[in-house]
């Protein structure tokens, strides 16, 4: 966990020093499925130390009066009570760090609240959603929560890719002459292809939602097999709304889904995106 958290923070640091983070008066962070809060504490401390203005000091990224508010969300009430007690004991910079009980992607009373449509709020806050190893479709729920609340930055490291596996298995059983048949006849390659396809679809969906997206390895495989990170930062509105760009991205999404036999994907469903199976006959695919 220590290595995972350190690598996660290093990856976030790259985003924050790339120009994607322009510190407004308030930085707000939500950690979906925070567990014991190791990453929540770490990122909160990093932001406080790198963006808050200490007395009688000046730092490149810091602005006077800036605040950092962080919220961890987990479904276990006893755990929430315990780690809130820790933040109370620590005080200082951790006084603006709190934990609340809730389910991933379906929690009320969050920091983001219902103010994502307010221009005044949008101009005065930088909203960040993080999720480390949210299992299977919980990652999709986290991403959708961020999209709905117009988060500026999304950083997630997915874990477990069960939803697509059975679909891919069935597809290659029914299509023995598929171009990848000699690769995906092996279970280990189907497993790896499931992970790759799931996260590639998530990246495409984030781009459709108006985010610049990157997928990369954030930690060595010797520490965890779940070492892929997806980062997303809001595009300029003009680019995000470009119709030609959206048409191309949706076409690529449909082609990818059809190639691997994916009929259902949680984030696509939440976003109302068509995976194109009504056009499958044109592509010569057996349903």
């Amino acid at each position: 966990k220590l290595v995972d958290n350190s690598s996660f923070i290093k990856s976030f640091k790259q985003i924050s020093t790339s120009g994607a983070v322009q510190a407004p008066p308030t930085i707000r962070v939500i950690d979906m499925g925070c567990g014991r809060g190791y990453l929540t504490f770490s990122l909160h401390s990093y932001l406080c130390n790198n963006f808050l203005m200490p007395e009688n000091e000046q730092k490149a990224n810091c602005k006077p009066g800036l605040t950092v508010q962080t919220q961890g969300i987990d479904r276990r009430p006893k755990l929430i009570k315990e780690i809130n007690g820790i933040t109370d004991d620590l005080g200082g910079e951790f006084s603006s760090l709190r934990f609340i009980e809730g389910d991933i992607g379906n929690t009320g009373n969050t920091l983001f609240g219902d103010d994502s449509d307010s221009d005044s709020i949008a101009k005065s806050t930088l909203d960040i959603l993080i999720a480390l190893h949210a299992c299977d479709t919980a990652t999709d729920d986290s991403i959708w929560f961020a999209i709905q609340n117009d988060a500026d930055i999304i950083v997630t490291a997915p874990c477990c890719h069960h939803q697509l596996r059975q679909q891919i298995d069935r597809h290659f059983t029914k299509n023995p002459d598929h171009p990848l048949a000699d690769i995906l006849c092996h279970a280990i390659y189907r497993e790896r292809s499931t992970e790759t396809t799931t996260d590639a679809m998530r990246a495409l969906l984030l781009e459709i939602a108006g985010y610049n997206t990157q997928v990369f390895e954030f930690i060595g495989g010797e520490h965890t097999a779940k070492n892929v990170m997806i980062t997303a930062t809001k595009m300029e509105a003009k680019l995000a709304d470009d119709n030609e760009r959206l048409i191309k991205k949706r076409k690529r999404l449909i082609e990818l889904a059809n190639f691997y036999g994916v009929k259902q994907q949680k984030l696509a469903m939440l976003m109302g995106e068509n995976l194109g199976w009504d056009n499958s006959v044109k592509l010569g695919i057996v349903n």
Side-chain angles (χ1 to χ4, degrees):
K1 281 294 183 181
L2 176 61
V3 177
D4 284 1
N5 289 347
S6 297
S7 298
F8 198 105
I9 298 300
K10 286 178 182 177
S11 297
F12 183 86
K13 184 178 180 180
Q14 292 178 349
I15 300 173
S16 67
T17 56
S18 68
V21 176
Q22 302 294 327
T26 302
I27 297 175
R28 305 190 298 188
V29 182
I30 289 181
D31 183 0
M32 278 291 181
C34 64
R36 298 196 65 83
Y38 300 129
L39 178 59
T40 328
F41 277 96
S42 298
L43 183 57
H44 182 81
S45 181
Y46 167 79
L47 291 170
C48 287
N49 281 284
N50 286 273
F51 290 95
L52 298 187
M53 181 76 79
E55 288 188 28
N56 303 318
E57 287 188 36
Q58 289 192 355
K59 293 184 179 180
N61 295 322
C62 295
K63 291 183 179 180
L66 186 146
T67 62
V68 176
Q69 301 172 10
T70 304
Q71 191 174 65
I73 297 174
D74 194 272
R75 63 170 58 183
R76 293 165 288 184
K78 289 183 179 179
L79 180 60
I80 293 300
K81 182 177 180 180
E82 177 187 342
I83 49 183
N84 272 330
I86 294 172
T87 62
D88 291 339
D89 291 341
L90 289 170
E93 67 184 37
F94 295 104
S95 60
S96 58
L97 166 61
R98 302 304 295 171
F99 295 86
I100 66 170
E101 181 184 350
D103 292 323
I104 289 179
N106 186 29
T107 302
N109 301 316
T110 69
L111 279 176
F112 296 168
D114 296 321
D115 58 26
S116 59
D117 293 329
S118 170
D119 292 338
S120 60
I121 292 292
K123 292 177 182 177
S124 63
T125 65
L126 178 79
D127 290 339
I128 302 167
L129 186 288
I130 64 172
L132 175 61
H133 294 161
C135 189
D136 198 19
T137 58
T139 291
D140 300 298
D141 292 329
S142 299
I143 293 172
W144 177 236
F145 176 88
I147 292 171
Q148 282 186 303
N149 287 276
D150 200 32
D152 300 287
I153 297 174
I154 304 169
V155 185
T156 179
C159 179
C160 307
H161 300 72
H162 300 309
Q163 186 186 23
L164 268 60
R165 178 58 192 271
Q166 289 186 350
Q167 298 179 63
I168 289 176
D169 284 348
R170 285 195 299 268
H171 183 66
F172 285 95
T173 298
K174 292 180 179 180
N175 291 276
D177 295 325
H178 191 281
L180 297 182
D182 291 326
I183 297 173
L184 297 177
C185 61
H186 305 289
I188 183 62
Y189 290 139
R190 289 199 302 277
E191 180 180 347
R192 292 175 181 176
S193 293
T194 298
E195 294 176 2
T196 302
T197 304
T198 301
D199 291 337
M201 290 181 71
R202 287 167 173 160
L204 274 168
L205 287 160
L206 278 162
E207 289 170 359
I208 290 169
Y211 288 84
N212 293 308
T213 307
Q214 289 186 308
V215 182
F216 57 92
E217 182 179 286
F218 78 102
I219 188 174
E222 69 272 19
H223 298 292
T224 175
K226 308 302 181 183
N227 61 350
V228 170
M229 175 173 282
I230 303 171
T231 64
T233 56
K234 286 287 288 184
M235 294 178 183
E236 293 182 6
K238 183 178 180 180
L239 179 59
D241 295 335
D242 181 79
N243 192 53
E244 185 177 350
R245 183 192 72 84
L246 290 170
I247 290 172
K248 288 181 179 179
K249 293 297 180 182
R250 288 189 168 110
K251 181 175 182 291
R252 299 292 295 183
L253 177 67
I254 289 171
E255 289 173 344
L256 180 61
N258 276 262
F259 189 75
Y260 282 96
V262 177
K263 298 182 180 181
Q264 293 182 327
Q265 199 281 330
K266 183 69 177 290
L267 183 58
M269 181 192 73
L270 292 168
M271 290 175 59
E273 289 293 331
N274 175 27
L275 296 183
W277 277 93
D278 51 344
N279 296 319
S280 60
V281 174
K282 297 179 183 178
L283 297 170
I285 292 170
V286 178
N287 290 350

